[in-house]
Amino acid sequence: MAGPKIIVGVTGGIACYKAVSLVSALKQKNFEAQVVMTENATRLVAPVTFRAVSGQPVCAEQFASGGDPVPHIGLVERAALYVVAPATANTIAKLAGGLADNILTASFLAARCPKIIVPAMNTAMWENSLTQENISRLKKHGCLAVEPDAGYLACGVFGAGRYPATSKILQEIENALGKTRPLSGKKIVITGGGTREPLDPVRVITNVSSGKMGAALRDAAEKAGAEVVYIDAGAENARSLKKRIAAEFDGADALIMAAAVSDYKPASVRTDKIKSGADKLTIELARTEDLLKYFAGKKKKQYIVGFALESLNLLKNASAKLRSKNLDLVVANDISALNSDTAQITLLAKDGRAETFDRLSKPKAAEKIIERVCRDIG
Ligand code: CTP
């Protein structure tokens, strides 16, 4: 599985051949590296070099014929970090001014992720108060800047402005990601959607769970840096879901059971299709195993999150579930969340803390749940 996506913006400074090593180092650390080049950079190093090292097509044109008509937006959608290395005085000035006149500056402006600038230029250009002001402005707007090294420069002088060692840039990238990705290094198993219990070869007992909350939790946990194993309960019954969770549970740091697991299943599964002749049909149901309780009973380091969807006495029933199933956190969800794009949640923790939120979109509610998981295990 490829790690977080890092965008490497390469501008037309002499040091741009050194960015090839940066891209290679990122790949070796299992990051997905997407290279974006200015036109001047392509005059110094051929895009095919970066393509070979990153294993991905390089973006060097803002208005490429065919393909995505607005490539700068799609490019940054899943980006965990944007690093501009090397960053020339010209590009730094454009970025500080919010310009978007090429694929690099446009995608940089469109990116919401953390951003790092790696300036590399002649000493006089670096020390010019205009460049310094531009760097300060970028920092004021949340960008990080790596201090250039001092040493021999391509223009034949010794001074500040040298492109720093790849290891130093990598360290800055990892530090920035560590801060914004509090769940990096954690494995989280998330289930979502409603199970399907077979009745006969063509019929199942299921429920109206949409799976939207599970998917939103998966996205929020991935954004926070976790390695996520998402299990869609829509393809499982309680027994097969248990097996799928069990295969991942030992190495997991948390289990979030957003799946609506059917509490009952047909007592026996008919091998032949039930015929429609009779006026009445009685189906005997038997309990399914409570998976949440089972896994909470087996936990060592795992942080266990359950959901409680209730139509009556929401908080009372939810806190009873928290205790009886030995959970770390229960998400109490009003029944109105069913089949809706929004949810009104209360988080009840083992130590009695309760946190209630206004009605939120499911992605926002999922972020709140993941924020709590981060605080407790991050
Ligand atoms: N759950 C489970 N296994 C089951 C049933 C439910 O793991 N067989 C989990 C769900 O994924 C959810 C939580 O238990 O996280 C709450 O499910 P719910 O059906 O609301 O709770 P129950 O304990 O079944 O209580 P009740 O049916 O009385 O509401």
Side-chain angles (χ1 to χ4, degrees):
M1 210 188 334
K5 176 174 173 179
I6 311 288
I7 312 239
V8 183
V10 182
T11 72
I14 295 299
C16 85
Y17 70 93
K18 296 182 180 173
V20 176
S21 307
L22 176 64
V23 173
S24 167
L26 287 169
K27 283 290 286 178
Q28 287 172 52
K29 289 204 165 245
N30 199 34
F31 288 106
E32 177 187 340
Q34 168 66 65
V35 176
V36 178
M37 298 176 83
T38 61
E39 199 186 332
N40 282 338
T42 66
R43 297 209 175 111
L44 293 163
V45 177
V48 69
T49 306
F50 283 107
R51 182 181 181 147
V53 177
S54 67
Q56 305 240 41
V58 167
C59 293
E61 282 178 68
Q62 194 166 15
F63 303 107
S65 53
D68 189 347
V70 277
H72 55 288
I73 305 296
L75 192 64
V76 294
E77 249 163 22
R78 283 187 307 105
L81 187 136
Y82 200 133
V83 57
V84 183
T88 57
N90 182 46
T91 291
I92 289 171
K94 287 185 191 179
L95 298 178
L99 294 193
D101 64 341
N102 61 39
I103 184 69
L104 190 152
T105 52
S107 57
F108 188 90
L109 195 63
R112 291 184 191 273
C113 58
K115 297 166 186 172
I116 301 180
I117 311 284
V118 184
M121 65 197 75
N122 156 273
T123 307
M125 291 171 90
W126 170 244
E127 288 176 351
N128 191 308
S129 56
L130 282 170
T131 304
Q132 291 302 316
E133 236 177 86
N134 289 333
I135 287 284
S136 304
R137 190 171 154 81
L138 284 164
K139 284 186 181 167
K140 201 178 112 205
H141 287 266
C143 299
L144 300 162
V146 179
E147 194 63 27
D149 282 353
Y152 178 74
L153 302 176
C155 47
V157 301
F158 282 87
R162 200 163 191 264
Y163 183 91
T166 297
S167 56
K168 185 168 157 185
I169 304 170
L170 266 183
Q171 191 61 59
E172 294 284 345
I173 291 173
E174 287 181 329
N175 287 350
L177 287 176
K179 279 192 201 124
T180 57
R181 298 168 67 80
L183 291 181
S184 61
K186 304 279 183 204
K187 173 173 166 175
I188 303 198
V189 180
I190 300 174
T191 64
T195 53
R196 292 153 71 94
E197 294 291 343
L199 179 56
D200 71 11
V202 296
R203 298 182 179 93
V204 294
I205 291 183
T206 187
N207 55 65
V208 297
S209 165
S210 65
K212 285 178 186 161
M213 180 56 92
L217 284 162
R218 174 196 60 202
D219 294 346
E222 272 175 359
K223 213 165 138 198
E227 178 199 339
V228 177
V229 176
Y230 179 69
I231 304 174
D232 175 8
E236 313 291 337
N237 60 28
R239 241 179 92 188
S240 64
L241 184 59
K242 181 182 174 187
K243 273 197 198 147
R244 298 265 321 262
I245 300 169
E248 307 289 348
F249 189 74
D250 285 348
D253 297 284
L255 168 65
I256 305 182
M257 282 291 291
V261 184
S262 176
D263 289 325
Y264 291 91
K265 60 180 179 184
S268 62
V269 182
R270 319 273 183 105
T271 43
D272 294 315
K273 186 178 162 212
I274 302 168
K275 298 298 288 176
S276 58
D279 283 345
K280 255 190 182 176
L281 176 68
T282 305
I283 298 163
E284 198 188 348
L285 299 177
R287 277 290 331 220
T288 54
E289 181 171 8
D290 188 324
L291 305 186
L292 196 50
K293 200 168 179 174
Y294 170 81
F295 286 105
K298 277 175 63 82
K299 75 173 172 187
K300 293 196 177 79
K301 55 172 181 172
Q302 291 87 350
Y303 182 89
I304 312 276
V305 183
F307 276 70
L309 184 74
E310 308 280 351
S311 52
L312 287 172
N313 300 326
L314 175 66
L315 295 186
K316 192 164 158 262
N317 286 339
S319 65
K321 244 168 232 179
L322 178 84
R323 281 190 304 275
S324 70
K325 299 195 190 190
N326 190 25
L327 308 177
D328 294 290
L329 188 72
V330 70
V331 182
N333 225 333
D334 186 80
I335 195 108
S336 63
L338 258 183
N339 261 338
S340 162
D341 288 330
T342 61
Q344 206 266 299
I345 57 166
T346 296
L347 302 183
L348 294 176
K350 200 163 56 175
D351 61 8
R353 277 175 302 165
E355 206 178 345
T356 301
F357 298 93
D358 290 339
R359 180 162 289 282
L360 297 171
S361 68
K362 283 189 176 170
K364 280 270 167 249
E367 264 174 36
K368 299 291 175 199
I369 298 165
I370 295 298
E371 272 171 25
R372 166 58 77 81
V373 175
C374 290
R375 265 181 273 146
D376 289 352
I377 70 163

